[in-house]
Structure formats: C-alpha cells, structure tokens
Amino acid sequence: MTTPASSSPTSPTTLDAVIVGAGFSGLYMLHKLRGLGLRARVFEAGNGVGGTWFWNRYPGARCDVESMEYSFKFDDALQQEWVWSERYSEQPEILRYLNHVADRFDLRRDIAFETRVTKAHFDEKSGRWNVATDRGESVSAQYCIMATGCLSSTNTPKFPGLESFKGRVFHTGKWPHEPVDFTGRRVGIIGTGSSAIQTIPIVAKLARHLTVLQRTPNFSVPAQNGPLDPATQARIKEKYGELRRLGSTMPFGFDVQYNEKSALEATPEEREAEFEQRWQHGGLPFLGCYSDLLYDKAANELAADFIRAKIREIVKDPEVAALLTPDSVVGCKRLCSDTGYFETFNRDNVTLVDVRSRPIEQILPTGLRTAKQTYEFDDLILATGFDAMTGTLVRIDIRGVGGATLAERWSEGPRTYLGLTTVGFPNLFMMTGPGSPSVLSNMVVSIEQHAEWIADCVAHLRARGLSRIEATPQAQDAWVAHVNEVADSTLYPQCNSWYLGSNVPGKPRVFMPYLGFPAYVEKCKEVVSRGYEGFRLA
C-alpha cells in the first residue's frame, strides 16, 4: 500500500470542485471530474483511501455483495486485471483494491489526507462554496460534492459509566489499525447487528470468554463464502458485461436471482425447496426468493419461519435459541450474512445475555451491570452501529442560501430531490444521499451512477455557460412524497432499523433510502432528458 502524504500544503485556494471523502464515491467522482478538465480536490479525514473500508477493520469485516459485482465497472481493464480471492471479500482485500484504484489512476495527488472538512458555506454573491478544514485551510469551489458515505458516523449510546471502564474499549466502526489480540481475555460485546454478527465468531475462537449482550435478535443467513477459483473468475470475466447488465436490471442493483413468483401461490413443498436452495446458496439472494417477500406480511412470515426453524436446528440450547430468534420481519432490517454465527452460541466459552429484559444499568471499571447481574471484562466491544445516511452530513457546518444550516433544514428528517440535491443549497451534491437507493442497492453501482450523473450535469452547465443548479421546492416535495409512498407500500417501515434512524435517540423517524432500483436510474435519465426537470439552472 502506498503511504500517502498527510496533507498537501500547496493545494490551490480556488477550485472547480471540492469532494469530501475518499472512499468508492470520492475516488470515482475525482476521476470523472478530472476527465472534464476540472480542478478538483478531495479532503479525507483518514490517512488513506477507502472510506467505509478504511475505518471498519473489525474482526471478520466482509462485504455482503459478491466480489465480482462489488467493484467498479467503469474501466474494463481494471475489472479484468484485478483478481479477487474470495466470493465475498474481506475488508483488507477491498482496501487493497481501492488503493490499487487510487494508484492506477494517479488519484492521490489531488487528495488531502488527515484533513477533516469542518465548514462549507455558500456565498450568494460569488455563487461559490467556501470550504474550511480542521487544518486551517480555506478553499473556494463552484461545486461541493459530499462523498461522505452512508455508514461513516458511529453511534455510541450514552452508557452510564462508560468512561470509567479500565479495560480496552473498541467500536466496530472505528477499529484500531494495528492488530488486536483477544487471546485468553474476557470480552463483552454490546450489539448483535451486522458488524457484531461478523465479529462474534472470530472473537469467540480467541477469547477466554465472550459475553454477547443482545437487545434485539437479528435474522441472518449463511454467506456460504469460499475461495473464488481462477477458472470461475475467468468465466465471469469473459462475459463480465452480461453480468453487469443483468445486475443493473435487478431490484437491488446486483444479481439476487430474483424470482417473480409469489410465495403465497407456491405449495408448501415448493416453498421449502426454494428456501432451502437459497439457504445453501447463501447471502442476500435469499431476499430474491419470492417477489412478495418484502411486500406481503404473510409471505414474509413464511420465510421468517424457515429461518427461525434453522436457528432452532443449529443452536443446541433451546433457551438460547429462543433468545436468538427474531419476532420481526425478514429484510426490514438489513439481512445479515454470516459465517458460523448461530453455531458460535454452542461454544462453552460464549454467553448470551438478553438486555431487552435485563437492561444495561452501568458500565463499571471492570465490566458492567445489568438489571440482574454483574459481568467482568478485560475488553469491551461496542457494535452499536451508525448514525446512518445523515449523521456525517449534519455534523459538518453546511450553510446554504440565507445562512440556513443543513442540520436545521433536516431537523425533522432529510429532504432531497433524487437523493442528489436539497433545496436552498445550490451546487451542493450528495452521493448516495437519503432519497436514493444507496444502502438498498449494490453501493458501487449506485455510486457509479451518481458520479456519472453529477459529472454529466456539470458538463451540461459548463457547455451552456451556466454556473448554478438548485432543486425546486415543488420537485423536492414531490420526490419526498414518492419515496415515502414507495416505502409505505413495503414492510420496511415495520422495523425499528437504522434505515429509519431508530437506533439513534432523538433522531426523526423517517425512512431514508429509496426502494426503487433500477426505476430510479430511469427517473434520473428522464429528468435530464427533460432539460433537468425539477431544477433551476442559472
């Protein structure tokens, strides 16, 4: 991996575009704007590229979209030359890939690392964004592009006494960059969401004892991960274009082997065979088993019952199995993919504690106390998730027309047009923002689509001597209403999930992503074909 400079003291003070974040989004956005001949600069808080995959280094961190699809398609030479080692890539491999991308396209020279954007204020007189960083830098740019990611602001509940704990404390979303050894140690982990489900099996094999503190059980299916042999990879690369085109037509932007049949129309024997085939295949394609799985409660319950039966079959202790069995809807929280998660609770050195019935009362210097018992730990892992979708954006002092802050405008929930822009903030673009498919899609596909749409938009403005674009209130209101209408037609709002911000106390309960890929892509094309319908261009 190339070691980046911490920052660039020679960065220009006047730019065409500022990009915030150097993950998948920021890297491709920089590449696209360079292709237009623009002076663009990326500001990145970390000391390397990678975004989500730079920060999330917890044990077992792995993507839940297959490697051959969770990668850029914009450059055929890139996708042909890179060799993936596993069906589902681990964090270190994805980070190596993104470093390869940064080097291959010579992107680092326009990235200021270890530099956090603190302010972005729109100057109405000049029509430009004034952007300030924690290093005292100040730059002016016509366009400000937020490539800050959907899962980049960690959520740490205010546990009483947390600061008093004398052992090591880790958050899965801000994992140390140096190796962490849990061998022979007493470890407590709070949470059983996606990151915990990946972490728990790894830590359990090393720890003297692992105590899992669970508030809400989660549905999970086996990833069925394994090596990606060269012959398979070569066959895929021969017809890579076909795979990409197929993914672009799928509801989630990748091949979930979507079955258009209804679960309610199938016989019990047909359903059992379909569910079992999906379970053995592994991963998120389980959600593609029937077309009404995420729309009809009765259909969903059939799938839920299948997974519940699997949990009871795998977990030997009936009481533990009961605690691990969700009573909610499959898929209304992101379906987890695991490697030996439920099997881990058969280990003698693993204890499951239900903190829904026995809440955590206090973190102690040597452990924690619930309403029923005290536990002693050497290490504490917080797998408590993220302030998703909006957290990073509202923590930056972003001010638009009239000095209004984004945090104020979104105080009752985010409002956007296409998830790309928001009223009152001209020339401010969000990549995979709320109101776009983002986390309900293959993120790389959505990122490429957004970067290309933004680049085309900028090129359109420049070709016509225009310098400003802003969504109209009417278009934004209509889009927000449409996003809500689509969400309400599904089972997604029936869970207290981070899709709704329900995991963060005080956050407005609004369903943030848009369930509409690939129709969303067609809508974006339609907006352009109608002269950027819903936007004011000046």
Side-chain angles (χ1 to χ4, degrees):
M1 184 189 303
T2 304
T3 303
S6 61
S7 186
S8 172
T10 60
S11 60
T13 57
T14 303
L15 298 163
D16 294 310
V18 160
I19 301 165
V20 185
F24 271 97
S25 296
L27 294 178
Y28 187 43
M29 193 73 253
L30 174 60
H31 178 67
K32 288 297 294 181
L33 294 182
R34 269 195 193 167
L36 297 177
L38 271 65
R39 293 165 301 162
R41 189 148 190 82
V42 176
F43 291 112
E44 166 56 50
N47 67 3
V49 303
T52 293
W53 302 105
F54 176 86
W55 298 107
N56 286 264
R57 299 167 183 249
Y58 59 84
R62 189 183 299 278
C63 188
D64 59 4
V65 175
E66 295 196 28
S67 307
M68 298 299 288
E69 293 185 86
Y70 192 82
S71 51
F72 286 124
K73 69 177 186 302
F74 71 87
D75 186 278
D76 188 57
L78 171 65
Q79 64 179 5
Q80 291 294 331
E81 73 194 16
W82 185 262
V83 178
W84 295 102
S85 66
E86 294 181 282
R87 181 184 175 193
Y88 294 104
S89 300
E90 272 194 305
Q91 176 270 334
E93 185 166 22
I94 298 173
L95 189 58
R96 286 195 298 272
Y97 170 74
L98 288 169
N99 274 279
H100 172 73
V101 171
D103 291 336
R104 193 185 192 285
F105 297 100
D106 187 27
L107 300 176
R108 294 180 198 276
R109 60 184 166 89
D110 288 319
I111 304 174
F113 294 100
E114 297 183 274
T115 306
R116 185 178 295 277
V117 169
T118 56
K119 298 178 182 178
H121 294 181
F122 185 69
D123 184 321
E124 294 181 58
K125 290 183 179 179
S126 66
R128 298 177 65 82
W129 284 92
N130 295 323
V131 178
T133 75
D134 61 355
R135 285 179 166 266
E137 295 171 272
S138 182
V139 300
S140 168
Q142 186 173 358
Y143 302 101
C144 185
I145 302 168
M146 308 306 294
T148 48
C150 298
L151 299 173
S152 52
S153 285
T154 54
N155 174 49
T156 303
K158 295 180 180 178
F159 295 113
L162 180 59
E163 69 286 346
S164 73
F165 185 67
K166 293 182 178 178
R168 301 182 300 180
V169 179
F170 307 97
H171 193 293
T172 49
K174 285 187 177 178
W175 202 262
H177 290 197
E178 61 276 3
V180 178
D181 188 6
F182 293 103
T183 303
R185 297 177 71 83
R186 299 167 302 172
V187 183
I189 182 167
I190 300 175
T192 51
S194 295
S195 63
I197 282 173
Q198 292 183 327
T199 300
I200 285 166
I202 306 295
V203 174
K205 293 175 183 177
L206 301 170
R208 187 167 107 204
H209 197 90
L210 175 65
T211 302
V212 178
L213 298 117
Q214 171 189 270
R215 182 175 61 180
T216 307
N218 262 304
F219 285 105
S220 186
V221 297
Q224 307 292 13
N225 187 44
L228 195 56
D229 71 89
T232 299
Q233 196 156 176
R235 282 197 301 273
I236 292 172
K237 288 182 177 182
E238 283 177 9
K239 299 182 178 180
Y240 224 149
E242 290 182 20
L243 176 65
R244 300 295 198 179
R245 282 189 292 276
L246 176 64
S248 70
T249 67
M250 291 287 158
F252 298 102
F254 65 102
D255 185 9
V256 294
Q257 301 166 32
Y258 188 66
N259 180 2
E260 295 185 357
K261 295 180 181 178
S262 163
L264 302 178
E265 294 173 354
T267 67
E269 294 76 18
E270 288 171 339
R271 283 195 300 267
E272 185 70 17
E274 180 71 14
F275 291 147
E276 183 64 33
Q277 185 273 325
R278 298 280 175 157
W279 183 270
Q280 296 303 328
H281 178 78
L284 294 179
F286 189 91
L287 291 175
C289 61
Y290 289 107
S291 62
D292 49 359
L293 186 67
L294 294 171
Y295 295 89
D296 188 291
K297 187 69 185 295
N300 191 280
E301 191 66 12
L302 294 168
D305 282 342
F306 175 84
I307 298 177
R308 291 170 187 142
K310 286 291 188 181
I311 296 170
R312 291 191 293 270
E313 179 184 314
I314 294 167
V315 181
K316 295 175 182 176
D317 186 324
E319 292 184 9
V320 175
L323 287 176
L324 288 168
T325 301
D327 58 4
S328 57
V329 172
V330 176
C332 64
K333 290 184 176 181
R334 190 172 182 91
L335 182 65
C336 300
S337 297
D338 70 85
T339 300
Y341 173 66
F342 293 115
E343 291 85 347
T344 298
F345 292 92
N346 293 328
R347 298 178 64 98
D348 293 334
N349 70 327
V350 175
T351 300
L352 178 65
V353 177
D354 175 24
V355 296
R356 180 158 53 178
S357 62
R358 308 168 188 175
I360 296 170
E361 294 186 340
Q362 183 86 19
I363 306 293
L364 307 171
T366 57
L368 63 75
R369 184 179 66 244
T370 70
K372 187 172 181 179
Q373 191 173 342
T374 297
Y375 301 87
E376 293 194 347
F377 306 132
D378 301 309
D379 302 314
L380 186 61
I381 300 172
L382 305 177
T384 50
F386 298 88
D387 184 353
M389 307 287 290
T390 60
T392 301
L393 291 170
V394 299
R395 291 179 194 185
I396 300 171
D397 180 11
I398 301 175
R399 303 191 181 208
V401 174
T405 70
L406 188 66
E408 290 168 349
R409 288 292 182 89
W410 286 5
S411 61
E412 296 182 3
R415 298 182 66 80
T416 72
Y417 181 40
L418 303 177
L420 281 160
T421 64
T422 188
V423 171
F425 296 81
N427 293 3
L428 176 76
F429 295 103
M430 293 165 286
M431 299 191 69
T432 64
S436 75
S438 60
V439 294
L440 293 182
S441 69
N442 176 350
M443 286 296 293
V444 184
V445 171
S446 282
I447 284 165
E448 285 187 305
Q449 186 258 336
H450 268 194
E452 289 161 8
W453 192 96
I454 293 167
D456 289 346
C457 176
V458 170
H460 175 88
L461 295 173
R462 289 167 64 84
R464 287 156 181 78
L466 302 169
S467 60
R468 177 167 169 166
I469 183 169
E470 181 184 356
T472 67
Q474 296 84 357
Q476 178 168 284
D477 289 347
W479 183 251
V480 170
H482 173 64
V483 171
N484 290 333
E485 182 183 17
V486 171
D488 290 342
S489 72
T490 74
L491 301 176
Y492 276 103
Q494 297 195 14
C495 282
N496 287 322
S497 69
W498 57 258
Y499 294 147
L500 288 149
S502 302
N503 61 318
V504 179
K507 188 170 182 175
R509 197 176 191 276
V510 175
F511 192 77
M512 292 179 283
Y514 173 59
L515 183 67
F517 197 96
Y520 171 84
V521 179
E522 294 307 311
K523 172 64 176 178
C524 289
K525 291 178 180 177
E526 179 185 296
V527 165
V528 172
S529 70
R530 294 182 176 179
Y532 286 87
E533 183 179 51
F535 289 100
R536 285 197 209 94
L537 280 60

